[in-house]
Amino acid sequence: MTKRVLNVVTNVGHYDDPSHPTGLWLSELTHAYDVFAEHGFEQTIVSPQGGRSPLEPRSLKFPAYDKTAKAWRADPERMALLENTAAPDEIDSADFDAIYFTGGHAVMYDFPDSEGLQRITREIFERGGVVSSVCHGYCGLLNTKLSDGSYLVAGRKLTGFAWREEVLARVDKLVPYNAEEEMKKRGALYEKAKLPFVSYAVVDGNLVTGQNPGSAKETAKKVADLLRRSGKD
């Protein structure tokens, strides 16, 4: 049977300070989307509110703005997918084998407290499906609890955008919280690469996480490997 992946994107277009725009980090979607497409997976895009997902301006500049991101922006059908994302209450988690949370600083605002996304994530995870994220996408896992009331991330190895990377990106004064620190508070076994901004992905059972924008492809490949293996069982 064809595997199905649910890609999660943000609806937020700016930091607390409206003069600082943010949004979806486009290549974190396109790199993974292309990997999943190569494997023949069916894909759907969801956001906390449904509807439009704005793009992070910094992701549309060199070096982040690569050929996959450019190809997406040049394709009206692909861009339309980001204008008309599904809302969580339109999603039946039973239809999906994996969920993949994209990043961009915007997700720090609308991913953590989306009860709809938490429901979908919990149901996919407890069914043995793959839960994955890249970069700030792990903010979507911060408050997700399992049926027994424990945090999904508690006691599990994972990674995501590091505080050192926030400082180097010069947004540490803009972000609403320290995501790395918040993850550790919830009992997550946080890991990161020795060097900032290099590709780094962690697999712990059916949880797959990538550290930064450069990790999206590696993360998606690890998700695809798990899905392929589960198809052979």
Side-chain angles (χ1 to χ4, degrees):
M1 276 188 45
T2 302
K3 299 293 184 181
R4 298 191 66 192
V5 180
L6 185 63
N7 298 289
V8 190
V9 297
T10 186
N11 298 117
V12 172
H14 59 78
Y15 290 90
D16 287 321
D17 180 346
S19 69
H20 289 281
T22 182
L24 163 66
W25 196 277
L26 186 56
S27 66
E28 292 176 16
L29 173 65
T30 61
H31 286 181
Y33 204 94
D34 288 354
V35 168
F36 297 147
E38 285 166 14
H39 285 84
F41 301 159
E42 290 182 14
Q43 299 184 72
T44 299
I45 301 179
V46 68
S47 62
Q49 301 295 327
R52 181 171 180 266
S53 180
L55 301 180
E56 159 67 65
R58 289 169 66 153
S59 75
L60 306 179
K61 296 175 182 173
F62 179 84
Y65 196 40
D66 64 3
K67 63 183 181 182
T68 69
K70 289 175 182 173
W72 186 290
R73 273 190 95 200
D75 185 337
E77 287 186 19
R78 289 268 172 106
M79 287 301 288
L81 295 177
L82 294 178
E83 291 292 332
N84 303 288
T85 65
D89 60 6
E90 299 173 63
I91 298 295
D92 182 348
S93 67
D95 292 338
F96 295 92
D97 303 284
I99 187 168
Y100 170 77
F101 286 86
T102 63
H105 286 91
V107 311
M108 299 181 79
Y109 296 94
D110 63 347
F111 277 13
D113 297 318
S114 169
E115 292 181 5
L117 292 178
Q118 290 173 19
R119 168 188 63 80
I120 295 165
T121 304
R122 176 176 57 253
E123 290 171 359
I124 289 175
F125 188 79
E126 292 186 337
R127 205 177 60 241
V130 178
V131 169
S132 63
S133 67
V134 72
C135 199
H136 290 90
Y138 73 150
C139 294
L141 307 178
L142 271 175
N143 298 326
T144 298
K145 291 184 176 179
L146 302 177
S147 296
D148 65 4
S150 65
Y151 284 112
L152 185 155
V153 299
R156 291 188 168 86
K157 293 187 293 184
L158 55 70
T159 189
F161 207 61
W163 184 249
R164 184 180 174 202
E165 290 169 319
E166 301 281 23
V167 173
L168 290 170
R170 298 179 180 174
V171 289
D172 52 304
K173 303 289 195 296
L174 287 172
V175 294
Y177 51 87
N178 180 331
E180 176 185 333
E181 200 56 43
E182 290 300 317
M183 266 298 171
K184 292 174 182 174
K185 285 180 185 174
R186 285 156 179 75
L189 308 178
Y190 178 85
E191 300 180 2
K192 62 184 175 186
K194 288 189 174 71
L195 296 173
F197 301 113
V198 299
S199 181
Y200 187 71
V202 175
V203 179
D204 187 341
N206 54 332
L207 178 64
V208 183
T209 50
Q211 183 176 330
N212 46 42
S215 310
K217 194 174 291 184
E218 182 182 352
T219 303
K221 286 179 177 176
K222 291 183 183 301
V223 170
D225 287 344
L226 286 178
L227 291 179
R228 271 212 320 272
R229 261 185 267 154
S230 69
K232 292 174 183 172
D233 291 344

